Structures are given as C-alpha cells and as structure tokens.
C-alpha cells in the first residue's frame, strides 16, 4: 500500500503532522499540500488536540515545490498558488491552536515559507533555510515576502532572496527566524517536550493571543488597543482566567487542562 504523504500521530494532546516524501526532501506536490491543509483543519476541530507540530520525515523539512511534478498540471502559477499553497498558509495563520514549525532539516522555497509560518519555530542544529526561488528565477511565495522582512528587515530579506544564501541554525536564531535550536540527535524528543509544555498553557487565552498578534501585524496602535480591550473581555469571562487567579492566590500551579472541556 502506498504511504500517505502526511503522517499523523498523537501524543499527549500534541498532534504531529509529518511531511512524508523523504526521498525528495519532502518536496511538495498537490496531494501533500491539500492533505496537510485538511489535516490542520481536522486537528483544529479535534478537542483532544491542543498543539499542532509540522515537521518532515528523514533529513529534510521541505524542499518547496516538487520540480518534477509541476509540468502539465494544467494550472497557471497564480491558480496553483491560490489552489494549494495560499490556503495552507492561511490555515496555519488562522488556526485556533498553536502551530509549531519543527524544522528538522533543509527548508527551501515554499518549504522556507512553511518553516516561517508557524507560531513557534523550533530548529534542529543541522537545519537550514534557503529562499531558493531566485535560483529558478521565481518570486518568493507562500508568504515569504511577508514573513521574512518582518523578521529581518527589508534589506537582509532582499539579500537572502536575491542570493539564495543558506541560513544555518545559529544564524537563524540570531536573526529571529527561530525560537530554539536543539541537537539533531534529540530534536524530535525535544520538540515533543516543548509542545507538551505549550499544551498545558491556557488554550482559550492563547487562541485570542494569536488572533490579537496576527491582527496587530497589520493594524495601527489604536486598532490594536481596541481589539485587546474586546478580546480581554472574552478572556476575562472564561474559566481559565478564574483558574489562573485562584491558583495564584492558593500558591499552586494553575491547571488549564480540564477533562472534556475545550479551551
Ligand atoms: C527535489 C527537490 C524539489 C524535486 C530536492 N523537487 N526533487 C510554487 C508554485 C509553483 C511553482 C513553483 O514553485 C512554487 C514554490 C517553490 O517552492 S519554488 C522552489 C522549488 N524548490 C527548489 O527549487 C529547491 C530545489 N532543491 C534544492 O535546491 C536542493 O535539493 C536543496 C538545497 C533543497 C537540498 O540540497 P541537498 O541537500 O544537496 O540535496 P539534493 O539536492 O541532493 O536533493 C536530494 C534529493 O531530493 C534529490 O533527488 P535524487 O534522486 O537525486 O537523490 C533531489 O533531486 C530531490 N529534490 N529538492 N524541489
């Protein structure tokens, strides 16, 4: 039987979605992109899932578009992006649960965009990112032109894109392209530990935080203040807030995970 292009596994409220086209460094075809988007939506709707991890099988994270799988698709570039990559990136950014991009190896082209799109970016020591598009005379897509300049500024983004230079883990950490770097040997376990820790945090408050941060990236201060005031009401009315305050007064750790109760 043919193996799925996306492997799905659950451990302690963490759903891991593994890109599984190992022999091509998980280069993306339509099946992979559409299945990944579907699985993200499924994870969002599943109350047992509190954190989603996207990672790659084998030595690569994602080498971008499968260059052997583009010809004869019968779609223009614009149609292709609108059909596959753009819905995927929008789904990651709007998911109500935290998404971790667990970059185990090379992230190139649209794979680099995927590496940047997570709410948290965890890298293995041997991982690297290449805005490889200019090597094949294309424009960075799948959100790279939006994510990268916000992280490193216009000029460094332009240089990385124009020269398709490899960004290694220690530089990625310094440039703010990732939050943590873990040893290659323990990477998958370290990601799981991190994800489980995130899963104990107040899910409803994190959902609203993600919403506020995403909106703030394109809003004025006035708009951000208004949205914070609106969302704070929703957070303050939620049981998580009561639990946090009660736990503080009782001098005990807050318990934000309740059986049968969604964030
Ligand atoms: C691959 C690929 C690959 C197929 C490695 N495809 N096989 C959106 C919409 C529409 C159209 C176009 O694009 C887009 C967005 C994009 O993503 S455009 C950018 C597309 N990606 C690339 O141009 C990256 C091409 N790959 C590379 O530059 C290198 O493979 C990298 C730097 C990723 C890794 O280099 P190495 O570590 O030296 O590995 P390798 O080159 O030896 O690759 C290993 C195998 O994976 C090899 O197959 P083989 O049968 O020879 O072992 C490669 O052919 C295959 N592979 N990327 N994108």
């Amino acid at each position: 039987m043919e193996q799925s292009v996306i492997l799905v596994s659950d451990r302690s409220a963490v759903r891991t979605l593994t890109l599984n086209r190992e022999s091509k460094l998980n280069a993306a075809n339509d099946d992979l992109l559409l299945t990944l988007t579907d699985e993200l939506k499924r994870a969002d709707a599943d109350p047992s899932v509190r954190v989603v991890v996207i990672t790659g099988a084998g030595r690569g994270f994602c080498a971008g578009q499968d260059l052997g799988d583009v010809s004869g698709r019968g779609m223009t570039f614009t149609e292709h992006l609108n059909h596959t990559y753009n819905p995927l990136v929008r789904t990651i950014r709007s998911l109500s649960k935290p998404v971790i991009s667990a970059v185990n190896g090379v992230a190139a082209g649209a794979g680099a965009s995927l590496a940047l799109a997570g709410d948290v970016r965890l890298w293995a020591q041997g991982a690297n990112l290449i805005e490889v598009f200019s090597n094949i005379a294309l424009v960075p897509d799948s959100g790279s032109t939006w994510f990268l300049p916000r992280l490193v500024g216009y000029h460094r983004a332009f240089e990385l894109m124009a020269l398709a230079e490899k960004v290694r883990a220690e530089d990625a950490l310094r440039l703010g392209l990732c939050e943590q770097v873990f040893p290659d040997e323990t990477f998958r376990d370290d990601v799981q530990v991190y994800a489980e820790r995130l899963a104990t945090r107040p899910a409803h408050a994190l959902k609203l935080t993600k919403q506020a941060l995403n909106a703030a990236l394109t809003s004025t201060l006035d708009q951000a203040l208004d949205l914070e005031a609106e969302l704070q009401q929703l957070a303050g009315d939620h049981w998580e807030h009561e639990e946090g305050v009660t736990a503080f007064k009782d001098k005990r750790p807050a318990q934000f995970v309740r059986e049968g109760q969604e964030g």
Side-chain angles (χ1 to χ4, degrees):
M1 209 174 74
E2 207 176 308
Q3 268 223 320
S4 172
V5 286
I6 301 293
L7 304 177
V8 181
S9 70
D10 285 337
R11 223 170 98 198
S12 307
V14 177
R15 177 153 301 170
T16 300
L17 305 176
T18 305
L19 281 55
N20 187 35
R21 302 185 76 223
E22 200 176 323
S23 65
K24 294 184 171 209
L25 303 176
N26 306 312
N29 59 12
D30 287 5
D31 187 17
L32 181 143
L33 297 165
L34 297 173
T35 307
L36 180 56
T37 307
D38 281 351
E39 287 299 344
L40 284 162
K41 288 178 180 165
R42 212 188 304 276
D44 213 19
D46 186 336
S48 71
V49 176
R50 291 172 70 89
V51 171
V52 183
V53 174
I54 299 175
T55 194
R59 76 173 178 92
F61 174 68
C62 175
Q65 172 64 38
D66 183 336
L67 296 176
D69 202 287
V70 279
S71 58
R73 253 186 357 254
M75 267 192 243
T76 64
F77 283 87
T78 305
E79 285 167 348
H80 189 205
L81 287 170
N82 286 332
H83 177 61
T84 53
Y85 289 96
N86 291 353
L88 170 59
V89 174
R90 287 193 175 104
T91 300
I92 293 172
R93 297 305 320 145
S94 63
L95 216 76
S96 69
K97 299 170 184 179
V99 177
I100 297 178
S101 293
V103 183
N104 54 300
V106 62
S113 306
L114 205 51
L116 297 174
D119 300 299
V120 177
R121 293 84 38 92
L122 306 178
W123 279 35
Q125 188 66 53
N128 60 76
L129 177 145
I130 316 173
E131 293 285 348
V132 76
F133 303 87
S134 61
N135 283 351
I136 54 169
L138 285 182
V139 175
D141 63 24
S142 308
S144 267
T145 64
W146 195 85
F147 295 121
L148 200 57
R150 280 173 171 73
L151 295 164
V152 303
Y154 170 94
H155 295 93
R156 181 133 359 217
F158 181 79
E159 185 182 49
L160 290 173
M161 290 168 173
L163 300 180
E165 282 183 343
K166 188 181 281 191
V167 183
R168 294 176 200 281
E170 70 186 48
D171 290 326
L173 197 55
R174 184 174 51 80
L175 290 169
L177 305 191
C178 65
E179 282 60 64
Q180 305 269 344
V181 175
F182 297 118
D184 292 327
E185 306 74 40
T186 56
F187 180 65
R188 293 185 197 276
D189 288 341
D190 291 337
V191 167
Q192 181 66 27
V193 169
Y194 187 109
E196 286 183 23
R197 188 175 137 221
L198 195 55
T200 66
R201 305 299 298 158
H204 181 254
L206 294 199
K207 174 173 94 174
L208 300 179
T209 301
K210 181 168 172 174
Q211 192 184 328
L213 278 176
N214 273 306
L217 282 171
T218 55
S219 78
T220 62
L221 174 60
D222 268 344
Q223 289 167 328
L225 291 171
D226 285 344
L227 185 61
E228 286 173 3
E230 190 187 313
L231 296 180
Q232 197 66 291
Q233 192 62 52
L234 299 178
D237 287 342
H238 198 273
W239 66 262
E240 286 176 352
H241 173 57
E242 195 185 328
E243 163 60 10
V245 173
T246 307
F248 174 76
K249 288 180 181 163
D250 292 350
K251 299 188 186 302
R252 62 167 175 85
Q255 181 49 261
F256 292 121
V257 183
R258 285 187 182 171
E259 202 62 44
Q261 211 159 4
E262 273 189 75

